[in-house]
Amino acid sequence: MSKSFNQLPYEDLADYGNWGQDNNDSKRDTPRTRALFMAYLVSSGGRIPLRGIEMHGTYFWPDVWVGGALVKKGYLAVDESAQEFVVTQDGWGFVADTLEILGKQPPCNMPGR
């Protein structure tokens, strides 16, 4: 899973126009897309800052390709004035679907379980 952490926010991505999504032709909901989307939501509380999610003095930078794919699929909308992604109704449906898939997974075979 691709993820980036940095001491500074990703200032170049504060404007969604700088995300370079013209060639992003993602059409599938991959496990990577689901995992990163869930990580962003858990880490941000539901509104994902374009410049990165601040966590204990460091920033969790969103993956540009995954973020763009989520926008193109209609799961996220861009709030330019707030410089944030906002989860759409379809996005929350995607989250619900992801949680349902996870709930159907066999139990983990870890010691003590």
Side-chain angles (χ1 to χ4, degrees):
M1 182 182 333
S2 172
K3 61 185 180 302
S4 298
F5 289 89
N6 197 294
Q7 295 298 330
L8 300 172
Y10 204 165
E11 293 296 341
D12 292 346
L13 297 184
D15 177 354
Y16 186 70
N18 294 337
W19 281 59
Q21 294 299 305
D22 293 341
N23 294 324
N24 188 341
D25 60 355
S26 179
K27 294 183 178 32
R28 296 181 303 124
D29 296 329
T30 66
R32 179 177 181 268
T33 302
R34 289 182 187 277
L36 284 173
F37 191 28
M38 297 299 288
Y40 299 152
L41 290 176
V42 168
S43 301
S44 72
R47 292 183 69 94
I48 305 164
L50 296 172
R51 302 173 339 139
I53 303 162
E54 187 174 6
M55 298 169 44
H56 304 289
T58 192
Y59 287 83
F60 178 17
W61 290 355
D63 181 283
V64 172
W65 199 257
V66 170
L70 292 168
V71 169
K72 287 185 178 204
K73 301 263 317 172
Y75 300 153
L76 293 176
V78 180
D79 181 342
E80 292 284 355
S81 63
Q83 298 179 329
E84 294 176 325
F85 290 116
V86 179
V87 183
T88 65
Q89 188 169 3
D90 285 345
W92 288 117
F94 181 63
V95 169
D97 183 53
T98 300
L99 292 173
E100 186 173 328
I101 290 168
L102 290 173
K104 292 179 180 177
Q105 297 296 313
C108 180
N109 291 326
M110 293 178 58
R113 290 196 95 175

